[in-house]
Amino acid sequence: MKTRTGMALLTGVLLGFQGEAAAQEATPPVAKVEPVELVQHGDTRTDPYYWMRERGHPDVIAYLEAENAYTEAMTADTRALQERLFEEIRGRTREDDSSVPYLHRGFYYSTRYREGDQYPVHVRKRGSLDAAEEVLLDVNELAEGHAYYSVSSQSVTNDGNLLAYAADTVGRRINTIRFKDLRTGETLPDVIEDVTSNLVWANDDRTLFYGRKDLQTLRSHQIWRHALGTPVSEDVLVYEERDTEFSTRVSKTKTDAFLLISSSQTLSTETRYLDANDPTGTFRPVLEREPDHEYEVEHFGEHFYLVTNDGAKNFRLVRFPVGSSGREHWEEVIGHRPDVYLQGIEVFRDHLVVRERFEGLSRLHVRRWDGSDAHDLVFDEPAYVASWSTNREIDSSLLRFRYESMQTPSTVYDYDMDSRERTLLKQDEVLGGFSPDDYVTERLTAAARDGARVPISLVYRKGTRIDGSSPLLLSGYGSYGSNREPGFSATRLSLLDRGFVYAIAHIRGSATLGREWYEAGKLFNKKNTFTDFVDVADFLVAEGYADPDRLFAQGGSAGGLLMGAVVNMRPELWRGVIAGVPFVDVITTMLDESIPLTTFEWDEWGDPREPDDYDYMLSYSPYDQVEAKEYPNLLITAGYHDSQVQYWEPAKWAAKLRALKTDDNLLLLRTQMQAGHSGVSGRYERYRETAFQYAFLLKLAGLGEPLTME
């Protein structure tokens, strides 16, 4: 075992558990260890499970595998239900489906699946949709021999001849870049290992810019330049981000005129630019970084366009001539609006499209460059998601966008920005007799304890009783300003068709109601995220949407932090909770600069090296707040190769809960030993994981077969 200093000093560890045979008899693993004394700002505590972070140690592997065996034993009675659910989910899926082709530089690109395949096939056609198909990448072939495989990104040169792609074979988001000559089908000898998925070609069609990360912290800190056909050892370091609170990435403007290197952390951005025709040139700052200034850059004509929060909490849009970034050169295009959150732009030859949030819902705003003919795309469902799709061609009057709701499958349209006509290109097909008219979507608001109004999106099948007798699954996230959108899920139908109501709580910490809504759920306001979720749950019970004895909750990653907090706050409220890859050991993680995410998230959670931050974070940290009391049924998932939430956080949390909880409810820890933060990679394996989780919920709800409803 290693010895570490800092928040947790490992002085000695003993491991003991009942073993596989006992686990098969449904005896939970027991971790017996010597307590580790922790001293921080005068607060003395113990962390008896710190040893679990010893990645690769045989005792750690054995313990996780014993937990997995125990989980399998305790869910053995649901295996038949799991199989039925898996077949239902698979049966709703058109297995030979394909995406809508998009046009770029004379080729139509798309992705398709073959029946029975786990992974996609990326293809294109030259000049016409009737042309012969050319296979770019068959991911099924690439994935052979790998328990996990994901093509993280891919990029084709402007001339259409070469493909660069990044692939992750572990799930830890550490990639290898390879190159393919699309004229011959040959895989080229250039191989670049241990990189990010971030890659982009310069306009000479032989120079690739790519990102590297610190392999310890996984912080993306360098941008390199590779000339095709030369040794990787001769690659040139173009930019290195030395501030450990920032990460960096490279991109290209839609016009293909400029390469951009952006560095960012929670509250600040800095972007550099370079003529994409001059790949060996020097990157120059668009704007130097400033505290509390966040911005994104796009290019059109003679100007850079800046989505900026300078003097605009909900962001505004300005432009200035390329090379003249001083604020005296700024010209406002769209001013700040306190009730509209400006999230991004898409540029076309004659039009500007703006992605916004208004009254909690996504919105697409279209206008000509002179500001005339301004209008919003209008949708008639109470809760929905509208976002642009792939729009690679700038010389077009067609906006391709995607629309879905909690009862309407994902639908792709082309929108003529001149005539305002929509053309339906594709709606995802849901097999098995599905009709959106069989379901009901509602948009509600609940009063939080401090008077804030929290939006709720929910869906249920027609005929489901809204009289306090139906099980309800409440989902939430509430961090980073990220939004849980009210989108469609074909897999979710297996719950709805058995009488579940499904709801999303758009709690503070998201940006559902704009930037202020986000800031009201971070740092010293973080507890609003948790109390909002509890208040939404109480509201749904009071209004008859949920059976108080069959109320369930689900959240993942930072949403798993939410789950950990609310089961500590109100354990009696929940019949069962699914916490996916949960960020629950807040203090220990945020004190450890050697692991991913820590350094550039102090502005999200707080910096526990500061006494006030430490005390506040400690007061809600799920792992630290576990007590000797009754807890609901819990299913906790982890990914052994998780790069975002290290596997030991859920493992430690489960062990501490197992030691202290006073009830006989289920406590299950399921660690995917061949996966990372996003779970397993094959589509059928993902279906099986969903079926497993749904079986957990349905067993506790006392439901099995789909209900017959009028």
Side-chain angles (χ1 to χ4, degrees):
M1 291 286 190
K2 301 175 184 177
T3 300
R4 301 193 63 88
T5 58
M7 173 61 183
L9 177 64
L10 183 59
T11 58
V13 169
L14 298 174
L15 171 69
F17 59 87
Q18 299 288 335
E20 184 173 347
Q24 294 291 355
E25 296 174 2
T27 301
V30 177
K32 299 178 181 179
V33 299
E34 293 180 355
V36 180
E37 186 177 87
L38 310 177
V39 181
Q40 180 69 20
H41 298 305
D43 177 31
T44 302
R45 304 181 294 122
T46 60
D47 187 356
Y49 306 109
Y50 190 77
W51 59 271
M52 290 186 179
R53 66 181 287 138
E54 296 298 318
R55 186 187 301 275
H57 193 284
D59 289 345
V60 172
I61 300 297
Y63 182 79
L64 296 175
E65 290 178 342
E67 283 279 12
N68 282 347
Y70 174 71
T71 295
E72 288 301 308
M74 294 301 292
T75 57
D77 60 337
T78 70
R79 286 174 188 161
L81 176 57
Q82 290 178 46
E83 191 62 28
R84 288 200 303 273
L85 289 166
F86 170 76
E87 293 299 335
E88 275 182 28
I89 294 168
R90 183 172 180 175
R92 294 191 193 100
T93 305
R94 180 174 174 176
E95 296 191 43
D96 59 350
D97 203 6
S98 61
S99 66
V100 178
Y102 67 86
L103 179 63
H104 184 53
R105 292 188 175 273
F107 291 92
Y108 288 91
Y109 292 87
S110 64
T111 298
R112 61 176 174 81
Y113 281 90
R114 296 180 298 241
E115 186 172 354
D117 281 352
Q118 289 270 23
Y119 298 98
V121 182
H122 301 287
V123 300
R124 72 179 182 182
K125 295 181 178 181
R126 184 189 297 267
S128 168
L129 293 174
D130 297 325
E133 181 182 89
E134 174 187 353
V135 175
L136 305 179
L137 292 175
D138 186 337
V139 183
N140 299 281
E141 294 179 357
L142 298 172
E144 289 181 5
H146 297 283
Y148 179 97
Y149 195 91
S150 174
V151 173
S152 309
S153 62
Q154 51 188 307
S155 180
V156 177
T157 52
N158 285 352
D159 62 13
N161 292 334
L162 300 173
L163 170 72
Y165 67 95
D168 176 4
T169 59
V170 174
R172 197 151 175 80
R173 302 185 183 181
I174 299 173
N175 294 266
T176 298
I177 296 174
R178 288 183 169 83
F179 301 84
K180 183 177 180 180
D181 189 324
L182 299 178
R183 296 162 294 190
T184 65
E186 174 189 8
T187 297
L188 302 180
D190 305 54
V191 177
I192 310 175
E193 298 181 323
D194 296 335
V195 299
T196 72
S197 61
N198 183 209
L199 52 87
V200 63
W201 290 101
N203 288 349
D204 65 353
D205 297 331
R206 66 180 303 273
T207 303
L208 185 83
F209 289 82
Y210 63 91
R212 284 195 181 275
K213 58 177 63 178
D214 181 316
L215 295 181
Q216 174 68 31
T217 66
L218 302 186
R219 182 175 69 94
S220 303
H221 69 308
Q222 294 176 338
I223 302 299
W224 289 73
R225 186 179 72 229
H226 174 72
L228 197 64
T230 65
V232 173
S233 60
E234 297 179 4
D235 286 3
V236 176
L237 176 61
V238 175
Y239 176 75
E240 182 170 15
E241 179 52 67
R242 298 184 181 277
D243 189 328
T244 59
E245 293 190 33
F246 284 74
S247 60
T248 191
R249 69 184 317 274
V250 63
S251 62
K252 201 175 188 181
T253 61
K254 184 175 178 178
T255 60
D256 284 330
F258 295 103
L259 296 160
L260 304 175
I261 293 178
S262 295
S263 293
S264 62
Q265 51 102 260
T266 307
L267 298 176
S268 182
T269 311
E270 182 177 61
T271 299
R272 293 167 169 80
Y273 71 100
L274 174 67
D275 186 333
N277 295 312
D278 181 25
T280 61
T282 301
F283 282 83
R284 300 168 55 195
V286 175
L287 281 175
E288 301 280 358
R289 70 185 64 179
E290 300 173 5
D292 301 319
H293 186 202
E294 302 169 61
Y295 65 85
E296 291 184 0
V297 180
E298 186 53 275
H299 167 254
F300 182 75
E302 302 300 320
H303 293 86
F304 279 135
Y305 285 78
L306 215 66
V307 176
T308 172
N309 71 341
D310 179 78
K313 185 177 287 291
N314 274 340
F315 291 79
R316 59 184 175 129
L317 180 65
V318 301
R319 74 174 190 175
F320 48 82
V322 173
S324 303
S325 60
R327 283 175 172 78
E328 67 272 15
H329 299 290
W330 287 17
E331 175 187 354
E332 190 162 84
V333 180
I334 299 177
H336 177 256
R337 294 157 294 171
D339 59 341
V340 179
Y341 184 28
L342 199 163
Q343 295 182 292
I345 63 171
E346 184 80 85
V347 299
F348 296 87
R349 180 193 63 199
D350 298 324
H351 296 88
L352 169 68
V353 182
V354 185
R355 180 167 53 89
E356 304 174 334
R357 295 194 75 86
F358 177 65
E359 296 183 343
L361 293 172
S362 53
R363 185 169 76 178
L364 296 176
H365 174 78
V366 179
R367 62 168 62 188
R368 290 188 171 275
W369 283 108
D370 63 5
S372 65
D373 198 27
H375 60 282
D376 302 320
L377 275 67
V378 177
F379 308 100
D380 57 8
E381 292 187 272
Y384 61 84
V385 189
S387 60
W388 50 61
S389 184
T390 306
N391 293 276
R392 297 298 299 274
E393 296 293 292
I394 199 167
D395 189 17
S396 176
S397 64
L398 295 178
L399 167 69
R400 179 160 296 178
F401 75 92
R402 186 180 300 274
Y403 173 88
E404 61 185 289
S405 75
M406 300 179 83
Q407 69 188 86
T408 302
S410 179
T411 309
V412 178
Y413 294 91
D414 270 350
Y415 178 71
D416 190 311
M417 293 180 282
D418 290 324
S419 68
R420 303 194 185 186
E421 293 182 0
R422 301 181 191 181
T423 301
L424 172 64
L425 300 179
K426 180 189 175 183
Q427 184 172 87
D428 283 356
E429 188 174 2
V430 182
L431 306 179
F434 166 81
S435 171
D437 294 335
D438 291 336
Y439 302 87
V440 178
T441 297
E442 293 188 35
R443 184 82 164 178
L444 309 171
T445 58
R449 60 196 64 187
D450 64 357
R453 302 295 300 183
V454 183
I456 308 165
S457 301
L458 60 81
V459 63
Y460 52 88
R461 187 179 174 101
K462 284 183 179 177
T464 300
R465 293 184 175 181
I466 308 301
D467 60 0
S469 63
S470 295
L472 184 143
L473 175 60
L474 181 62
S475 175
Y477 188 76
S479 294
Y480 306 109
S482 180
N483 302 304
R484 284 297 310 273
E485 301 286 13
F488 184 79
S489 169
T491 60
R492 191 192 300 141
L493 300 177
S494 290
L495 293 180
L496 303 184
D497 290 351
R498 287 171 169 82
F500 260 84
V501 177
Y502 175 80
I504 302 171
H506 302 287
I507 49 186
R508 282 175 281 189
S510 73
T512 300
L513 296 178
R515 185 71 178 209
E516 287 188 355
W517 196 247
Y518 165 44
E519 293 178 355
K522 64 181 292 194
L523 296 174
F524 289 104
N525 295 317
K526 189 62 206 170
K527 289 182 184 178
N528 286 336
T529 300
F530 316 135
T531 56
D532 282 359
F533 194 82
V534 168
D535 293 343
V536 166
D538 284 335
F539 169 82
L540 292 171
V541 169
E543 294 298 311
Y545 287 94
D547 178 349
D549 296 323
R550 292 190 295 171
L551 178 61
F552 300 87
Q554 182 178 36
S557 193
L561 164 66
L562 170 66
M563 296 300 102
V566 299
V567 298
N568 281 332
M569 291 171 58
R570 291 282 301 279
E572 81 288 349
L573 191 58
W574 318 102
R575 173 68 172 143
V577 173
I578 299 176
V581 292
F583 170 47
V584 285
D585 191 12
V586 180
I587 294 289
T588 308
T589 291
M590 295 307 296
L591 278 167
D592 189 347
E593 298 179 39
S594 73
I595 60 176
L597 300 187
T598 296
T599 57
F600 47 89
E601 293 203 350
W602 284 322
D603 287 321
E604 178 72 27
W605 311 106
D607 183 350
R609 297 173 301 180
E610 300 295 328
D612 289 345
D613 289 27
Y614 177 89
D615 291 341
Y616 185 79
M617 296 164 72
L618 181 65
S619 72
Y620 69 75
S621 174
Y623 176 71
D624 296 289
Q625 294 302 319
V626 172
E627 298 175 328
K629 62 185 178 185
E630 293 188 356
Y631 281 88
N633 296 283
L634 289 166
L635 171 58
I636 303 167
T637 70
Y640 183 67
H641 298 290
D642 196 330
S643 60
Q644 310 302 105
V645 177
Q646 308 306 304
Y647 71 86
W648 57 76
E649 292 201 43
K652 287 173 57 178
W653 185 43
K656 190 172 183 181
L657 281 164
R658 210 180 283 292
L660 292 181
K661 75 189 191 80
T662 60
D663 58 84
D664 294 323
N665 289 328
L666 287 171
L667 172 55
L668 307 176
L669 172 64
R670 181 177 169 105
T671 303
Q672 294 288 351
M673 301 302 292
Q674 301 294 333
H677 194 64
S678 300
V680 292
S681 57
R683 59 172 173 165
Y684 297 117
E685 293 306 309
R686 290 196 297 271
Y687 296 163
R688 288 199 178 277
E689 181 61 24
T690 299
F692 176 81
Q693 294 183 19
Y694 283 3
F696 169 81
L697 297 172
L698 290 168
K699 174 186 176 180
L700 294 173
L703 300 172
E705 294 299 319
L707 303 179
T708 301
M709 299 184 182
E710 298 297 330

